[in-house]
Amino acid sequence: MKYRASRIEQDPLNYFLQHDNGGPFLQVADVMLRKNKDPKEVFAHLIRIATDSEWSHSAIFYLISDPRQGFNNTFLVEAKTKGIHLASWRNEVIPFDKFTVGIKRPCLDWYVENPYEQSRHNVYDPEDIHGIGYLRHVRGIAIDQINGLYDHKTVYELAALYAERVAKRHLGAVPAIADAAAGVANIFKKWDEKDDSAQSMLHFICSGLVQYSFFEALRLRIINDLAIPEHREAGLSNLSNLHRIIYREDPEGIIPRYIEQIQNNLDEIHAPVPDDVLDFLKTATPADFNNSPQLEWRFVILKGSVWRIERAAVDYMVSDKDEAEVLKMLESEHRP
């Protein structure tokens, strides 16, 4: 897919926070990508190196500003090594010389709303779009994880899982590297299983939270729809499209195998999500979101300027070097 970029504003705070300029331009469950030039962010720097990516962090838009309802700020749900919390939009883009931000939106043309969802649409609600019930469910799943506390074992486990994924991609000729990383992850998992408090929470870093939230929200909605005869058709359709909210590569076919297992026995969807699926979701990276055709580019904030991203004809030519710099950030990353 080819894109064009248009510089539209040099104030990314007010542009996205005010509604009297034709907005809202953001939507609930939009995905934010961020490049952080701060050398103190060691884990983020390692993620960028391992994935050959410009992007080191991601988050989900949770609450979009609406001055008419008394709030004039936008918040995101994000996960870091110290836990999951709400972050102010201001803190995601300032200082402008340190942060570069990209915003992508999930493509939901495949999503089938059940009769109840269809009846709940409100033409006077600027946030109301197709699939808004699902998108609000996504943010709810993300915020549900906010009490999950991190400890060193969790961070080490996730680091080992990331190492395993990187080893499989770059060191296919040396499978022992991937096996060793997987062994380290399993050790930390067993330690966590001995802790009763770990049984009721999931731990994520950054993109893992985003990917899990999209997956789990759709899984729960499918469960609910399959239980109601009038909603069953929507549930079955969305089950067949569950892979459409997977924003990372799946060379081992983990998600198609999971979908097929459920389709063969619908009761399986009520069972706990298998460990291999959870590990797969938790190790999504910002580079995956950059690459995914299931997320469409909407904006880039570079050097304090807002650029609107739109689809372009195949013969489109960039207008200047600034636009070329923005469009280069949208190119596919970390491909073998």
Side-chain angles (χ1 to χ4, degrees), residues 30-298:
D30 278 354
V31 175
M32 183 205 73
L33 299 175
R34 192 180 68 190
K35 176 181 178 180
N36 188 346
K37 299 179 182 179
D38 187 349
K40 296 180 181 179
E41 295 287 342
V42 177
F43 194 85
H45 185 60
L46 291 176
I47 292 261
R48 289 181 58 202
I49 292 176
T51 59
D52 299 325
S53 174
E54 288 286 333
W55 310 103
S56 58
H57 183 57
S58 62
I60 296 175
F61 281 90
Y62 173 74
L63 185 66
I64 308 303
S65 72
D66 189 344
R68 292 169 299 181
Q69 295 191 37
F71 57 92
N72 196 30
N73 200 353
T74 290
F75 293 92
L76 303 94
V77 189
E78 65 176 8
K80 293 187 175 181
T81 53
K82 293 183 179 179
I84 297 168
H85 62 274
L86 285 178
S88 167
W89 171 243
R90 175 182 295 273
N91 295 334
E92 300 297 325
V93 296
I94 292 179
F96 297 137
D97 61 343
K98 182 185 295 184
F99 297 141
T100 298
V101 172
I103 298 170
K104 300 191 77 175
R105 182 163 297 163
C107 304
L108 293 183
D109 55 336
W110 53 268
Y111 180 78
V112 177
E113 296 184 324
N114 63 43
Y116 177 77
E117 290 176 276
Q118 295 174 21
S119 70
R120 298 290 292 176
H121 284 296
N122 180 359
V123 295
Y124 300 107
D125 182 358
E127 188 180 275
D128 194 339
I129 58 170
H130 175 75
I132 187 62
Y134 166 61
L135 295 174
R136 287 169 174 164
H137 200 158
V138 170
R139 74 173 180 185
I141 294 294
I143 205 70
D144 239 13
Q145 310 303 317
I146 207 164
N147 289 328
L149 300 178
Y150 281 61
D151 56 25
H152 291 302
K153 290 181 295 185
T154 299
V155 176
Y156 294 155
E157 176 195 332
L158 288 168
L161 288 170
Y162 276 119
E164 177 186 4
R165 182 182 173 193
V166 171
K168 285 180 176 178
R169 187 174 70 246
H170 292 301
L171 301 173
V174 191
I177 301 294
D179 292 342
V184 173
N186 286 332
I187 290 174
F188 288 118
K189 279 185 184 178
K190 290 179 180 178
W191 282 357
D192 276 345
E193 287 170 359
K194 297 176 183 178
D195 183 355
D196 291 338
S197 65
Q199 300 299 313
S200 60
M201 61 184 67
L202 292 167
H203 301 288
F204 308 92
I205 289 178
C206 184
S207 310
L209 172 70
V210 177
Q211 180 60 90
Y212 173 81
S213 298
F214 277 97
F215 169 87
E216 183 65 2
L218 187 57
R219 188 181 76 93
L220 292 178
R221 294 182 85 78
I222 292 170
I223 290 175
N224 294 336
D225 283 342
L226 292 179
I228 302 174
E230 294 82 0
H231 296 180
R232 189 176 179 84
E233 183 178 350
L236 290 173
S237 177
N238 290 332
L239 172 60
S240 68
N241 283 294
L242 182 62
H243 63 285
R244 302 287 290 272
I245 48 83
I246 301 301
Y247 305 132
R248 55 159 295 184
E249 57 189 6
D250 185 7
E252 298 177 9
I254 292 173
I255 297 302
R257 188 163 58 248
Y258 176 71
I259 294 173
E260 183 179 7
Q261 174 187 348
I262 294 171
Q263 288 174 328
N264 291 335
N265 181 4
L266 293 179
D267 288 339
E268 287 290 326
I269 198 169
H270 296 274
V273 178
D275 285 346
D276 64 332
V277 175
L278 283 178
D279 288 347
F280 175 83
L281 299 171
K282 288 193 290 185
T283 50
T285 69
D288 292 320
F289 300 157
N290 176 87
N291 296 343
S292 176
Q294 302 297 340
L295 292 167
E296 187 170 11
W297 284 103
R298 303 308 294 246

